[in-house]
Amino acid sequence: PSSAFMKASSTIPLRSDIPYHSIIGTRKSTDIGAGTSDGIVPYESSHLNFTESEILVPSSHNAHTHPLAIAEVKRILYEHLEKNP
């Protein structure tokens, strides 16, 4: 995404009535701490204090393609389905 898009999207407030989940890629380790990153975005910039869940996936910036990330998306969707039949 362009830097203009990133700047614009960062001004959009997150809604408090929507449950958020984080799937974060980490290149070197799935341990949280200084230096943890997907190679582009540091963990500190990816982490949100108010998410219902957070999973660290051993992956680069394309964490969405990792099997653990795909399994987590399925888990979240099934959880949502059970809460909202």
Side-chain angles (χ1 to χ4, degrees):
S2 71
S3 62
F5 171 78
M6 296 300 288
K7 286 180 184 176
S9 65
S10 68
T11 64
I12 300 170
L14 298 176
R15 292 178 44 177
S16 62
D17 61 329
I18 296 175
Y20 293 92
H21 301 267
S22 291
I23 301 172
I24 301 172
T26 58
R27 288 180 64 186
K28 295 182 181 179
S29 166
T30 55
D31 294 332
I32 297 170
T36 304
S37 171
D38 66 2
I40 297 176
V41 180
Y43 169 80
E44 294 80 9
S45 293
S46 302
H47 172 75
L48 300 171
N49 288 326
F50 53 84
T51 60
E52 290 193 5
S53 70
E54 176 180 281
I55 184 173
L56 301 178
V57 177
S59 179
S60 61
H61 195 62
N62 62 348
H64 64 284
T65 64
H66 193 283
L68 290 175
I70 294 168
E72 178 66 0
V73 170
K74 287 180 181 179
R75 185 197 69 75
I76 293 165
L77 291 172
Y78 280 115
E79 179 183 285
H80 181 73
L81 182 62
E82 288 176 6
K83 289 181 180 178
N84 304 285

